[in-house]
Amino acid sequence: MLDKKGIAKRIAQELQNGWYVNLGIGIPTLIANYVPEGISVEFQSENGILGMGPFPFDGEEDADMINAGKQTITAMSGACIFDSATSFAMIRGQHIQLTVLGAMEVADNGDIANWKIPGKMVKGMGGAMDLVASADNIIVAMMHTNKRGVSKLLRQCTLPLTGVGCVKKIVTNLAVLDVTPNGFKLIERAPGVSVEEIQAATEGRLIVEGDIPEMKID
Amino acid sequence: MLDKKGIAKRIAQELQNGWYVNLGIGIPTLIANYVPEGISVEFQSENGILGMGPFPFDGEEDADMINAGKQTITAMSGACIFDSATSFAMIRGQHIQLTVLGAMEVADNGDIANWKIPGKMVKGMGGAMDLVASADNIIVAMMHTNKRGVSKLLRQCTLPLTGVGCVKKIVTNLAVLDVTPNGFKLIERAPGVSVEEIQAATEGRLIVEGDIPEMKID
Amino acid sequence: MNKVVANAKAAIQGIEDNMTLMLGGFGLCGIPENCISALVEANIKGLTCISNNAGVDDFGLGLLLQKRQIKKMISSYVGENDEFERQMLSGELEVDLIPQGSLAERCRAGGAGVPAFFTPAGYGTEVALGKEVRYFNGKPHILENALTADFAIVKAWKGDPMGNLVFKGTARNFNPLMAMAGKITIAEVEELVEPGELDPNFIHTPGIFIQRIFQGVNYEKRIEQRTVRQKV
Amino acid sequence: MNKVVANAKAAIQGIEDNMTLMLGGFGLCGIPENCISALVEANIKGLTCISNNAGVDDFGLGLLLQKRQIKKMISSYVGENDEFERQMLSGELEVDLIPQGSLAERCRAGGAGVPAFFTPAGYGTEVALGKEVRYFNGKPHILENALTADFAIVKAWKGDPMGNLVFKGTARNFNPLMAMAGKITIAEVEELVEPGELDPNFIHTPGIFIQRIFQGVNYEKRIEQRTVRQKV
């Protein structure tokens, strides 16, 4: 089974040279720490920066330099700054090659819910609806089940949707899965996790074809 | 009767302090030379500059600084440069207080035709259609009749339209006229021009109420 | 052309109860601190505020929420604010949540004279309820309307008396878009410079979009999430 | 991320007969001179060119017209070009004339993932034929579609290897918008600078929109209307 770092490391293996990447808050943010050797990517934050760098050194924080999670950040050499409309022009116009975000639920048709629990506090969708509706390549990073052990990979979402039919790939603490027209297709198992365990934790349709390899994570 | 300079001088009297103004090619361009004392306006050129200044001194031309007529220009102190989408955001978004342009024909309902003569060379509308469709305050600067002596102030335009019902005021070599729901309303006569002469040169409905004063031009 | 006013109090003249305001900023970054304080002091009520976020309990728009000056918030993300939550759950506060990219584009459209446009964001969700759906290249889109405001209030780094503005870093965010969409737009700046001091080639917001400008005072520029690393 | 190619010839690899190109510039100001020469040399035919103007007889897109490489022009203003006139009147050249502001906004929309938007420009004219009309605030608007291109070719003043661009003066014009709307966008620059040399806060076109960049040579930068005044 993977921890959050492990999920981030596994998704980092998907990065390709020259990609522009938008990372959501939470597990996705960790991916920036595990970019493979020899791969050069640029991170976009939807509040208006491309070429986002690491956190500033203590004492060098600049209130005018934050990411979409409102964390203080730095800019890499070759970075650029722009307004929110230009930022979402990049996103909506499909100039971003990969979007990674968290989810509360994913359905086996690619629907995603991650912004609202009716009756509880509604914080808002932020940029998530633009991201999922626009990106060709969306990976969801999340735990396979919620805190009560209930599957988050469902036949149908129960929460209000963020986007429809948009998720392409899911990386959880248990598995890597592709979203196909016939449901979740199991691609890899997390180290030490059996197909049966994944099946048991997946409420939506799960496709298991042939031998399922175990992930390779350093 | 006014010459082209006179038309420009008369229109310059309409300028109000703090206005942003877009001047078309031809007579309108001359208006910049006659801004009244104490009035501060800024000229926009739709290819992407606000705060357009006079022509450069001989030898100081910059190929990268032109106006919409492709003439070399300078920038005033406090000018700014922007792309064509931002430029037309200013125009379409009604941030420009006055647009002055020439016309081949104006109808007494405010329709204007100034971009195409079927069967002859078509040069294109450039920014004229955006300007006339967007501006609240459009003045047409033109000669009252064409070279063959035919009226350009018509009951109905005969040429393909640039915009419908948009012209508010017309300044010609003979008169100042407002466009009203009932036709062209005569406001002022050019020096030495009689109401009868204006009537004879106007094909569209002309409204003459009371004494029509003569323009005051320095 | 001189658009300089003395201070925030002078700048907000004409803002009345029940008006619609746009306020720039993302989180607490790039917010018009001086004007928010002046609005609190003037105790203007019943406001509809269009702003990506709603501040925190004791800063930014949270100050207006505390005094119940806001009737309705139009935002994309409104976490980090207990008083907001309380007012929303109790029904005191109306809230209209909008995808962030649609919010940005709707402000720009409002300023650019584009009354409506199609976007894929929100299709198939609550956001699309009651909105026209149309397919382009086989992909569903919804029609979104432009947003405008009685007053837009933005915060810039530098500005000149004609209203030309330059922003710093990610404090730019929504400010240039909202600047376009106000019937009257107020800019507060950290530094008011002489005319001609800003390079015409590098101005973020052309002065034409600004009606009033002043140099603000006592900027706190609070940081919401101070994240740092240690020097090795 | 290094997007630098050797020269115009390398940059235009992949442009084939019958493709659609966008070319930046207004008149002869800010046009991609090097790439136009390379297209002439490569003798690519049947092109659809989206460009505000069509050059003059012996410069700019006029060079492609002379060699009959252009099948269709999509522009707002095409005067100043006798060969253009001849080809259009003889029916050799298709021409689609678009209001200048709609052209700019349609390119931006193409790059921004906005498939269509409403604009008042052209309502009641030939431009509106066959287009949907809708009233907003009592004013008629027409629906315009986004424009995209197989390749967009832009000219900037300075650029870095990641594709970040800075333009000079009114040579900016359509270049930043078309840069957004190309499936592949080529930037030719007067000066290719080192990474980090351009201030992140003052970049006109973010590198994300650019796929190939090179430093051009022998810029003529011809002036169409040399207008000057004399020193007194």
Side-chain angles (χ1 to χ4, degrees), chain B residues 7-29:
Chain B
I7 295 173
K9 281 184 184 176
R10 176 60 191 82
I11 295 174
Q13 294 174 9
E14 303 285 318
L15 297 173
Q16 293 184 21
N17 205 32
W19 273 9
Y20 292 94
V21 179
N22 182 293
L23 301 178
I25 297 168
I27 300 174
T29 302

Side-chain angles (χ1 to χ4, degrees), chain B residues 157-169:
Chain B
C157 290
T158 65
L159 296 171
L161 295 183
T162 307
V164 296
C166 49
V167 176
K168 300 292 183 294
K169 190 183 280 285

Side-chain angles (χ1 to χ4, degrees), chain A residues 128-181:
Chain A
M129 282 195 185
D130 308 272
L131 282 160
V132 301
S134 307
D136 264 343
N137 190 12
I138 298 173
I139 301 180
V140 164
M142 65 178 188
M143 305 310 275
H144 211 99
T145 55
N146 68 18
K147 284 169 191 165
R148 288 168 288 115
V150 178
S151 179
K152 296 169 72 173
L153 288 87
L154 306 176
R155 187 75 181 84
Q156 201 173 331
C157 290
T158 65
L159 296 171
L161 295 183
T162 308
V164 295
C166 49
V167 177
K168 301 292 184 295
K169 191 184 281 286
I170 305 161
V171 178
T172 74
N173 52 327
L174 303 185
V176 177
L177 309 103
D178 281 350
V179 177
T180 73

Side-chain angles (χ1 to χ4, degrees), chain B residues 55 61 64 72 116 123, chain D residues 78 126 170 221 226-227 229:
Chain B
F55 296 143
E61 317 87 81
D64 293 327
T72 45
K116 185 177 182 179
K123 290 184 185 296
Chain D
V78 291
E126 288 180 7
T170 58
K221 297 175 74 165
R226 188 177 302 271
T227 46
R229 62 189 156 137

Side-chain angles (χ1 to χ4, degrees), chain B residues 22 44-50 68 82-96 99 125-135, chain C residues 108-114 180 206 208-209, chain D residues 26 52 76-77 98-106 108 117-121 173-174 177:
Chain B
N22 182 293
Q44 195 239 26
S45 194
E46 63 266 27
N47 58 316
I49 181 170
L50 198 61
F82 35 84
D83 65 48
S84 299
T86 305
S87 185
F88 282 92
M90 294 173 188
I91 290 167
R92 213 187 299 101
Q94 304 196 322
H95 303 277
I96 306 277
T99 293
M125 67 291 283
M129 282 193 184
D130 307 272
L131 282 160
V132 301
S134 307
Chain C
R108 180 190 176 274
V114 169
M180 297 168 71
I208 192 170
F209 296 121
Chain D
F26 185 99
N52 189 57
S76 92
Y77 190 83
I98 294 178
Q100 195 174 125
S102 297
L103 178 61
E105 191 69 11
R106 289 173 71 180
R108 179 190 178 276
F117 60 91
F118 285 96
T119 173
N173 55 62
F174 283 84
L177 314 165

Side-chain angles (χ1 to χ4, degrees), chain A residues 180 182 184-188 195 206-213:
Chain A
T180 73
N182 300 315
F184 301 118
K185 183 171 180 191
L186 185 58
I187 304 296
E188 294 175 16
V195 170
L206 184 72
I207 303 163
V208 183
E209 287 179 2
D211 266 0
I212 306 299

Side-chain angles (χ1 to χ4, degrees), chain A residues 51-218:
Chain A
M52 186 170 33
F55 296 144
F57 289 118
D58 198 355
E60 295 179 4
E61 317 88 79
D62 178 353
D64 293 328
M65 282 295 285
I66 64 168
N67 64 17
K70 283 108 178 178
Q71 298 171 311
T72 43
I73 53 155
T74 58
M76 305 287 281
S77 168
C80 61
I81 306 280
F82 33 85
D83 65 49
S84 300
T86 304
S87 184
F88 283 91
M90 294 174 188
I91 290 166
R92 212 187 300 103
Q94 304 195 323
H95 303 277
I96 306 277
Q97 279 75 36
L98 175 63
T99 292
V100 186
L101 72 176
M104 298 171 184
E105 296 178 346
V106 178
D108 64 21
N109 66 349
D111 288 358
I112 177 171
N114 72 349
W115 76 282
K116 185 177 185 180
I117 304 177
K120 295 202 183 182
M121 178 59 190
V122 178
K123 290 183 184 297
M125 67 292 282
M129 282 195 185
D130 308 272
L131 282 160
V132 301
S134 307
D136 264 343
N137 190 12
I138 298 173
I139 301 180
V140 164
M142 65 178 188
M143 305 310 275
H144 211 99
T145 55
N146 68 18
K147 284 169 191 165
R148 288 168 288 115
V150 178
S151 179
K152 296 169 72 173
L153 288 87
L154 306 176
R155 187 75 181 84
Q156 201 173 331
C157 290
T158 65
L159 296 171
L161 295 183
T162 308
V164 295
C166 49
V167 177
K168 301 292 184 295
K169 191 184 281 286
I170 305 161
V171 178
T172 74
N173 52 327
L174 303 185
V176 177
L177 309 103
D178 281 350
V179 177
T180 73
N182 300 315
F184 301 118
K185 183 171 180 191
L186 185 58
I187 304 296
E188 294 175 16
R189 295 172 294 113
V193 175
S194 70
V195 170
E196 290 67 30
E197 286 172 282
I198 295 164
Q199 180 70 72
T202 305
E203 196 256 351
R205 293 172 297 169
L206 184 72
I207 303 163
V208 183
E209 287 179 2
D211 266 0
I212 306 299
E214 197 170 273
M215 296 178 203
K216 290 186 180 61
I217 304 270
D218 310 330

